[in-house]
Each structure stands twice: as C-alpha cells, then as structure tokens.
C-alpha cells in the first residue's frame, strides 16, 4: 500500500512538473557519463552510444507519428509511453555529455563552453510553451547533433587518420542513417511532415557542422592533448620522463615553468602527451611563437611530431628551444589539417639573481 501510494505521488509530481522533470532527466544524463565515460576507442562505448542513438530515433519517430494521428500506444503501454520524452532527454543528455567531453579534450575551453551553451539553449527553447508543439522537431535536431558528433569521431577512428576525407565520410555516414529513417517512415507519415520534422533539422545541423569544419572550429577528435607543459629540463629514463621545473609549489595552477626564469645556458623544453586511438597515426606540428611588441605574434620554429596511438597515457615527446628572448611565448599543437589541438602560453623572464633557483622533478 505504501509503495503504491509513493508511486502515485511520484506520477502526480511528474504530471505537475513535467518541464522541470524533463530538464532534470537531461541534466541527469549529462552528469551520468562524466565519470562513466572511458577511452574514446572502447568498443563497449561505441556500442552504447549506437544503442542510445537508435532508441532516440525510435522514440522520436513514434512521437511524430502520434502527433499526426498515425500511432497510438497499446493500452498496456500507455502509462510507460508517457515517460518517453523524459527517457529520450536522458539518453540525449548522456550522448551530449560524452561528445562534449570528447570535444573538450580535443580543443580549448572556449570551444567546449560554446558547444555547451548551444546545447543548453536548445533544451531551454524546447521547454518554452510557444515551442511545445515543435518539441519533437527540436529533439530531432538534438538527435542529429548527436548522430553527426558520433560519426565525426568514429569514422576517423576506423580510418586511422583525420582530415577532409574523414570528415566527408562522417557526414555521409550520418546522411545514410537519416536516409534509412526517412525510408522507414515514408509509408507512415506524409512527405511534407518527414521533410519538416526530420530532413530539415538534420540538414541544418549538417550544414552548420560543415561550416564550422571549414572554419577549423570542429575539434580534431579522436585526438586529445593529455598533457602540455614548459620545463627547464626533460630527460627520459626507461619508459618514464623526468620533468624538472623551478616553479614555486604555491603556483599550482601553472603547467610547469609558465613563468620561465631564464639563466645563461638554459633551454626551454615543451613536453606534450597526445592520446590517439589504437592503430591511429597522425603527424602533428609543435609550433613556437613569440609575441613581438612591434609586430605581434611571430613564428619562431616548428617541430613535426609523428604520433602513434594506443597508449593509455598518450604518445609523449618534447620540443626544445635554445635560442629565445625575454617576453611572451606560446607553443601551439596543430594537426596535419591545421586544426589546433591545444596550446600553452608562457613568459620568459631573465633571471639576474645570484642564487640558483631551487628545482624539483615530476615524472610522467
């Protein structure tokens, strides 16, 4: 009796606060995989995402059919069907969380923040009353975003390289999935309905992704920059790297010697660790740049880095700069198609103190 009463109260709360509950489902899905998601190339992760995408497409297509009088849930499933919107948002939240994490690892914080802002905006619009009738269409747009994000990393991972050809393959794979969905719905919904609620949302998302790729704003997944730092010395001992820095312990937010105290004979060492999937190869560039007070950022040398994937901690390497001058510097890590994987900014300060600064070493 107590369990039945609690269940009824839960149902009533959901009916009274459905927009809030839908948003909470979305957030719950977003938080769920923050700790659960693992390596981008794990087979169970790929299958998990594919199953969620399939269920989202299934639920949203049934919702479209219900809105246009072409589907009615069986009597015994009517209660369960009421929660399909919340379940869809939970799965979309989980997927968007995964892809946001992947994009975050492969780009700057600014790119990831913008991506999150767009997603939050779509969810907010979906819950506004004037757009309530368009809810299924907006969920289809979110689904399209997830579908293209899925193939944006999966196709390059399967091919073993990134670039224009891999991106075209990603868009083509997503188009094939939507074409299959349209084919399955052709006898269930009028053509104008399919076009308005399925084809147009997907087409707009695909065009947006293509434009962002042309602007080099799409992060180069499945690559990710695991570590980057500036050090006074880097030496390899066996399978580990010893990274020596003079940074005070209280400057914990800096990655190595981002305030580089330069003494005669010092060289600047940039240490990087880049993760890529198994059997994946990419040729990166570690590009040194100096902020000239008169002419702005100037090229100051580049080092090619051939990355071989598979190692959990990432492929490790260093680049050394022995000729430099005081001022602002940065090192950019760029892919073969000139997308930025990450960067580090630092300042070189001439150290005129008579006492040698104390140093400490960390291991990677």
């Amino acid at each position: 009796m107590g369990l039945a009463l609690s269940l009824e109260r839960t149902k009533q709360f959901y009916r009274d606060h459905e927009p809030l509950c839908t948003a909470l489902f979305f957030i719950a899905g977003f938080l769920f995989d923050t700790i659960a998601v693992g390596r981008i190339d794990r087979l169970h992760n790929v299958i998990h995402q594919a199953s969620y995408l399939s269920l989202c497409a299934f639920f949203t297509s049934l919702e479209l059919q219900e809105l246009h009088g072409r589907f009615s849930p069986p009597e015994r499933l009517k209660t369960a069907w009421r929660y399909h919107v919340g379940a869809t948002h939970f799965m979309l939240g989980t997927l968007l969380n995964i892809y946001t994490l992947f994009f975050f690892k492969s780009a700057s914080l600014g790119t990831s923040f913008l991506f999150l802002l767009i997603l939050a905006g779509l969810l907010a619009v979906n819950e506004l009353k004037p757009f309530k009738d368009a809810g299924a269409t907006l969920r289809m747009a979110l689904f399209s975003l997830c579908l293209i994000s899925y193939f944006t990393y999966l196709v390059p991972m399967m091919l073993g390289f990134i670039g224009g050809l891999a991106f075209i393959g990603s868009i083509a794979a997503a188009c094939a999935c939507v074409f299959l969905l349209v084919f399955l719905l052709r006898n269930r919904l009028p053509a104008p309905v399919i076009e308005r609620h399925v084809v147009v949302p997907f087409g707009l998302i695909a065009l947006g992704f293509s434009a962002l790729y042309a602007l080099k704003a799409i992060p180069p997944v499945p690559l990710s920059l695991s570590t980057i730092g500036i050090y006074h010395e880097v030496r390899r001992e066996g399978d580990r790297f010893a990274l020596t820095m003079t940074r005070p312990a209280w400057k914990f937010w800096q990655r190595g010697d981002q305030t580089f105290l330069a003494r005669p004979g010092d060289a600047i060492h940039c240490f990087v660790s880049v993760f890529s999937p198994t059997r994946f190869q990419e040729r990166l560039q570690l590009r040194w740049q100096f902020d000239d007070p008169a002419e702005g950022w100037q090229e100051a040398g580049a080092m090619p880095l051939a990355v071989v994937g598979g190692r959990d901690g990432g492929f490790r390497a260093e680049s050394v700069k022995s000729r430099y001058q005081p001022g602002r510097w940065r090192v950019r890590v760029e892919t073969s198609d000139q997308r930025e994987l990450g960067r580090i900014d630092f300042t070189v300060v001439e150290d005129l103190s008579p006492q040698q600064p104390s140093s400490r070493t960390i291991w990677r």
Side-chain angles (χ1 to χ4, degrees):
M1 186 68 177
L3 181 60
L5 182 61
S6 298
L7 185 60
E8 186 56 39
R9 287 177 177 173
T10 302
K11 291 179 180 178
Q12 185 61 45
F13 180 85
Y14 183 89
R15 287 191 290 267
D16 294 341
H17 305 87
E18 189 166 347
L20 173 63
C21 291
T22 301
L24 290 176
F25 272 122
F26 185 92
I27 295 170
F30 209 81
L31 296 175
F32 180 77
D33 264 23
T34 300
I35 57 175
V37 66
R39 277 179 51 147
I40 195 171
D41 58 347
R42 294 298 188 203
L43 180 60
H44 67 85
N45 282 335
V46 174
I47 295 173
H48 168 232
Q49 294 160 44
S51 64
Y52 270 22
L53 285 167
S54 300
L55 286 171
C56 287
F58 177 68
F59 285 150
T60 306
S61 63
L62 285 181
E63 183 180 359
L64 285 172
Q65 293 175 59
E66 183 183 35
L67 288 173
H68 293 86
R70 303 300 177 90
F71 168 75
S72 180
E75 191 65 34
R76 65 180 183 279
L77 295 178
K78 281 188 175 180
T79 301
W81 175 247
R82 181 177 179 82
Y83 301 99
H84 76 279
V85 172
T88 302
H89 274 288
F90 177 85
M91 290 185 288
L92 287 172
T94 300
L95 292 169
L96 293 172
N97 177 56
I98 292 172
Y99 303 136
T100 301
L101 289 173
F102 289 166
F103 283 132
F104 174 78
K105 290 178 180 179
S106 297
S108 65
L109 177 61
T111 302
S112 301
F113 179 76
L114 178 61
F115 186 62
L116 280 169
L117 191 62
I118 292 172
L119 301 183
L122 286 171
L123 177 62
V125 167
N126 186 43
E127 296 308 325
L128 294 176
K129 287 186 177 181
F131 296 92
K132 202 64 177 177
D133 292 339
T137 305
L138 290 172
R139 278 186 284 281
M140 185 58 70
L142 286 172
F143 164 77
S144 300
L145 182 61
C146 291
L147 183 68
I148 295 176
S149 297
Y150 177 68
F151 285 113
T152 296
Y153 88 84
L154 182 62
V155 170
M157 192 170 71
M158 294 176 66
L159 294 175
F161 60 85
I162 60 174
L165 181 61
F167 181 76
I168 291 172
S170 303
I171 297 297
C175 287
C177 291
V178 173
F179 176 80
L180 177 61
L181 180 61
V182 170
F183 179 79
L184 295 173
L185 290 174
R186 74 191 191 287
N187 294 326
R188 300 175 180 272
L189 288 172
V193 172
I194 296 175
E195 180 180 346
R196 184 170 67 254
H197 294 291
V198 178
V199 177
V200 170
F202 173 79
L204 292 174
I205 296 295
L207 285 173
F209 251 73
S210 300
L212 290 173
Y213 181 82
L215 294 171
K216 303 187 186 304
I218 297 294
V221 288
L223 295 173
S224 63
L225 187 63
S226 304
T227 305
I228 184 168
I230 299 297
Y231 301 93
H232 271 74
E233 184 184 4
V234 174
R235 68 181 187 277
R236 183 164 189 165
E237 296 186 9
D239 192 42
R240 304 175 72 196
F241 283 81
L243 314 178
T244 302
M245 57 184 164
T246 62
R247 185 198 75 199
W250 62 270
K251 290 187 177 181
F252 58 88
W253 62 88
Q254 291 192 353
R255 292 169 288 176
D257 289 320
Q258 285 186 267
T259 302
F260 191 91
L261 302 178
R263 300 172 71 88
D266 282 348
I268 306 173
H269 297 253
C270 179
F271 176 82
V272 297
S273 176
V274 179
F275 172 82
S276 64
T278 304
R279 295 184 296 277
F280 192 96
Q281 296 186 357
E282 169 64 7
R283 192 170 183 83
L284 302 175
Q285 288 280 341
L286 270 62
R287 196 174 299 279
W288 295 78
Q289 296 178 322
F290 174 68
D291 188 10
D292 188 291
E295 300 182 14
W297 288 104
Q298 301 294 308
E299 296 294 325
M303 185 194 87
L305 176 61
V307 175
V308 179
R311 186 178 180 274
D312 284 343
F315 183 88
R316 297 161 298 171
E318 68 164 322
S319 180
V320 183
K321 171 66 67 175
S322 56
R323 297 180 62 183
Y324 54 86
Q325 57 185 301
R328 294 177 59 205
W329 288 78
R330 70 186 179 196
V331 178
R332 290 164 49 106
V333 184
E334 295 181 356
T335 61
S336 57
D337 58 356
Q338 298 181 326
R339 284 186 285 171
E340 184 178 304
L341 185 60
R343 69 170 67 182
I344 186 169
D345 293 87
F346 62 98
T347 304
V348 176
V349 179
E350 190 175 5
D351 185 7
L352 301 177
S353 63
Q355 186 177 357
Q356 185 78 18
S358 59
S359 63
R360 58 194 180 94
T361 301
I362 61 174
W363 295 86
R364 289 285 187 268

